[in-house]
Amino acid sequence: MNQKKKTGLLAVLAFVIILGGMLSTDTVIKAWMKPEGSFSIEAEILPTDRETYDVKLTIENQGEDWEGTVRLFVDEDYRTPTAYDTVLSLPQGSKKQFVVKVPVHTVNYTNGTVVITLLNRKGEETAKKEFKRLLVDQMESLSMGILSDAYSQLTYLDMGGAEIYFYNALYPIKLVQLQQGNLEDVLDSLTFLVIDQYHTDILTPEEIKAIELWNMAGGVLIIGTGEYAEDTLKGFNGSYLKLGYTTIQKPAKDSNLNKADSEQADADKADSEQTDFEQSDFEQSDEDEQYDDMQGYDMGGYVDWSRLTMAQLYGMSGMYADYYTGAYVESMVSGSVTVLPYSLTQLGSMDDSFWYYGYNAQEEFVMQLLENASSSASARYTSSSYYDSYSSYTGRFLGTLGSSNSILNFGVLKAIVIIYVVFVGPLLYLILRLMKRRELYWAAVPVTALLAIVLVFLAGRGFEVVNTRVYSVTVKNLAEGGKNATYLHCYDADHKEWDLKLAEECEYAGPLEYSYYYGGLNDKDYFYHVKREGDDTFIGIAPSSNFEDSYFYVRNLADKDHVEGKLTAVDVSLDWTGISGTVVNETDRDMDNFAVILNDSVYVFGSLPAGAAFNLQDEEPLFGASGGFYSTYIYNFLEDFYDNKEYDKAGIFSALGVGICDVYPQSDPNAFIVIGIMKDWDKTIDDNCSEISYGCLYSIQ
């Protein structure tokens, strides 16, 4: 190569290098100059009806135009969360506000951290912000009224914001200082009422009666005594609380004294103080003597009881005695009464040496005390939200819906296997013999086997779930303005994440229950997800295996067809001879089957055509059971249809079971309910799936 060519090549190479450097430098400069997106993320809880936590999000973009997904989940540390996604477009300098509805029943502990993450279209994290205790700080609390001359010494009863499990959720305690003048006005707003170190004899008979009525209606009353037993109990003399005390046992001067020395010190110091109450009003029965041994120093090994002043109480026969807290607890119609032989005021003044166990000992003690006190109040359970008592049964009914259609016909596969066996045996040999190519037999066998495998695979494709399988049950209240709920059981043959678009708008959607799946918490580690994109709602999961089951709850999915009329009943009654009366279907829908619920009993009958009247005495019920009928319904009634391979009927009655679960807890046990079931209801999914849908219509009267 001559010198000119070398020079030319070097010049071209230099030009290419310089040009590439300029371009890359320009790219680097542009990348360096490109501003990162800057976002402001704020969240607050709006007033709720206890079905959902309504989280209002405000997202402001102070950087370049952005499109992507805003993801919300509640970090509960040990439970894989549900991802609630909202597809959003944020031009530069814009701000958008929207509400994410998180179903209450999907969050087990409200003290979890609410995490908001912005993901771009590639799924990459753009911004993130955490809101600790968001659901707690702005949520409903339980009010605790304090009636005491030493209110400031009882403020520890709120446990520093720790939450108590109540009404199927966790709630913090909010303290309310009470006085004689405002007691009656405030009572109805209280969950707990604590009376401790207070002269109750100044309360009027009307106020004592108000406490009684509040207590009977579901209020949780806690009374502390100890050295203030006389003052605290005197006002209840002759009231519905038949309580009294005989002696006051003073604490030992030295908490390190052994039990015998402490008892002797108290015996020398105490003069067996006797109550001034009239013994005719507070007579100590023989049954009360059994409780005396549980008081004083024998109540439990968790605290140093010898340092508290203890009242020897009576009138607790029939009460539950808690070894841990020394409390006596009794149900009081819908509420409960808890009596303590010590004063909560004195308990709160104890230092760390008083507690024999662990960190946050005082808080744990109060938590146990409140749990014991409230667990005996039936109102704690009957006043809970619509969802409380039946979600596990609903999931079981939905699960049986899936299994009722899982029987596959393997006739084609059997035929292929039989043909293969015959062909590879004598038929293949005869063919090769006629062709005079018997030496190819050993080569033809594996080729034929491979071909058979391909045929089996292709035939088996027909049995795969090539799109998502969905079973849906919509339960509709026929009353004017009545809400509806849709329950879905879904699964897919694929191992990949999938989602489905709901056919209509809805109020909110989410899992049927909170997830028990464990795992680290990051933006892709979730099981259930719910996505909002414009007016469309999508539900789906990130499965960990093929055919993984998922269960969803959708509230107020818009009706495609409005149902006119209702289900009515005439002269319906239940006695030892059975159920009688007439049920009339005033709607335009034919019911495949229907059930009636009254007096905590369920009866299932046959079909109920549109406009027809059914005399309940004319036909024997297909199923009948009183309280606790769920297990009998599943394991006896439904199993018979599976055993007889009547899968269509099994599906109908499984869907009816879902409807009964939805309706039954909402109503008064004494109310009369008619609920009908029909197949091929409006589809709930508008996507690539195979859906079998059922509709339940009900009336309550």
Side-chain angles (χ1 to χ4, degrees), residues 378-392:
S378 61
R380 168 178 177 172
Y381 307 101
T382 57
S383 297
S384 54
S385 70
Y386 70 96
Y387 189 85
D388 295 351
S389 61
Y390 64 93
S391 61
S392 61

Side-chain angles (χ1 to χ4, degrees), residues 567 579 583 591-598 601-606 608 616 623 629 633 653 656-657 659-660 672-677 697-699:
L567 301 171
I579 188 170
V583 172
M591 312 292 177
D592 293 312
N593 291 89
F594 74 99
V596 295
I597 305 172
L598 76 163
S601 301
V602 175
Y603 294 89
V604 177
F605 293 91
L608 186 62
L616 300 177
F623 170 84
F629 62 88
Y633 191 98
F653 291 119
L656 180 60
I660 293 173
F672 178 74
I673 307 168
V674 182
I675 179 168
I677 179 71
L697 305 178
Y698 71 92
S699 296

Side-chain angles (χ1 to χ4, degrees), residues 71-84 106-107 113 115 511 513-530 540 542:
R71 173 166 295 163
L72 179 151
F73 65 75
V74 181
D75 180 352
E76 298 186 75
D77 292 332
Y78 57 88
R79 181 172 282 112
T80 300
T82 296
Y84 294 91
T106 64
V107 179
T113 300
V115 181
E513 296 179 297
Y514 50 77
S515 174
Y516 287 98
Y517 291 82
Y518 293 86
L521 292 178
N522 55 60
D523 295 326
K524 294 184 179 180
D525 191 6
Y526 52 84
F527 183 69
Y528 288 103
H529 68 258
V530 178

Side-chain angles (χ1 to χ4, degrees), residues 351-491:
D351 58 25
D352 292 341
S353 64
F354 174 76
W355 309 95
Y356 287 161
Y357 61 99
Y359 175 69
N360 272 353
Q362 184 188 77
E363 177 184 313
E364 293 292 336
F365 187 92
V366 174
M367 181 73 73
Q368 180 71 32
L369 175 63
L370 298 182
E371 284 282 355
N372 285 341
S374 60
S375 63
S376 294
S378 61
R380 168 178 177 172
Y381 307 101
T382 57
S383 297
S384 54
S385 70
Y386 70 96
Y387 189 85
D388 295 351
S389 61
Y390 64 93
S391 61
S392 61
Y393 289 108
T394 305
R396 290 162 71 181
F397 282 124
L398 284 173
T400 60
L401 267 179
S403 63
S404 67
N405 293 276
S406 62
I407 307 302
L408 301 178
N409 182 3
F410 289 98
V412 176
L413 294 179
K414 289 179 182 178
I416 292 174
V417 172
I418 292 172
I419 292 172
Y420 168 73
V421 172
V422 173
F423 183 79
V424 171
L427 188 60
L428 180 60
Y429 178 79
L430 290 173
I431 292 174
L432 293 175
R433 182 180 177 181
L434 291 173
M435 296 174 61
K436 298 181 180 181
R437 301 297 302 270
R438 285 180 295 179
E439 70 276 7
L440 298 179
Y441 182 78
W442 298 111
V445 168
V447 172
T448 306
L450 181 62
L451 179 62
I453 292 173
V454 172
L455 289 174
V456 169
F457 172 77
L458 293 175
R461 294 283 293 178
F463 299 113
E464 290 184 11
V465 181
V466 294
N467 50 25
T468 311
R469 182 65 61 86
V470 176
Y471 302 90
S472 65
V473 182
T474 297
V475 185
K476 180 175 177 56
N477 188 346
L478 292 174
E480 184 176 353
K483 294 185 176 182
N484 65 66
T486 300
Y487 300 85
L488 301 104
H489 173 202
C490 314
Y491 59 84

Side-chain angles (χ1 to χ4, degrees), residues 476-480 561-569 583-594 607-614 674-678 681 695-701:
K476 180 175 177 56
N477 188 346
L478 292 174
E480 184 176 353
D561 298 316
H562 180 68
V563 179
E564 297 288 348
K566 58 183 179 179
L567 301 171
T568 60
V583 172
V584 182
N585 181 3
E586 298 178 357
T587 74
D588 58 353
R589 303 297 179 99
D590 294 329
M591 312 292 177
D592 293 312
N593 291 89
F594 74 99
S607 62
L608 186 62
F614 187 98
V674 182
I675 179 168
I677 179 71
M678 65 206 71
W681 185 255
C696 284
L697 305 178
Y698 71 92
S699 296
I700 301 176
Q701 62 185 66

Side-chain angles (χ1 to χ4, degrees), residues 250-321:
K250 297 292 185 180
K253 290 182 178 179
D254 185 351
S255 62
N256 294 320
L257 293 174
N258 60 38
K259 178 178 177 180
D261 291 339
S262 299
E263 290 176 341
Q264 184 60 46
D266 285 338
D268 294 340
K269 182 173 61 176
D271 295 325
S272 296
E273 299 180 38
Q274 186 73 25
T275 175
D276 293 332
F277 296 165
E278 297 179 14
Q279 293 301 310
S280 60
D281 291 323
F282 296 103
E283 294 182 0
Q284 183 177 13
S285 68
D286 293 336
E287 295 180 4
D288 290 321
E289 293 179 1
Q290 63 179 304
Y291 296 97
D292 292 341
D293 291 337
M294 297 189 63
Q295 301 192 50
Y297 312 117
D298 294 329
M299 288 193 301
Y302 299 97
V303 298
D304 186 358
W305 294 110
S306 66
R307 295 171 60 180
L308 291 179
T309 299
M310 311 296 290
Q312 291 285 342
L313 301 171
Y314 63 84
M316 286 85 64
S317 58
M319 281 188 165
Y320 161 72

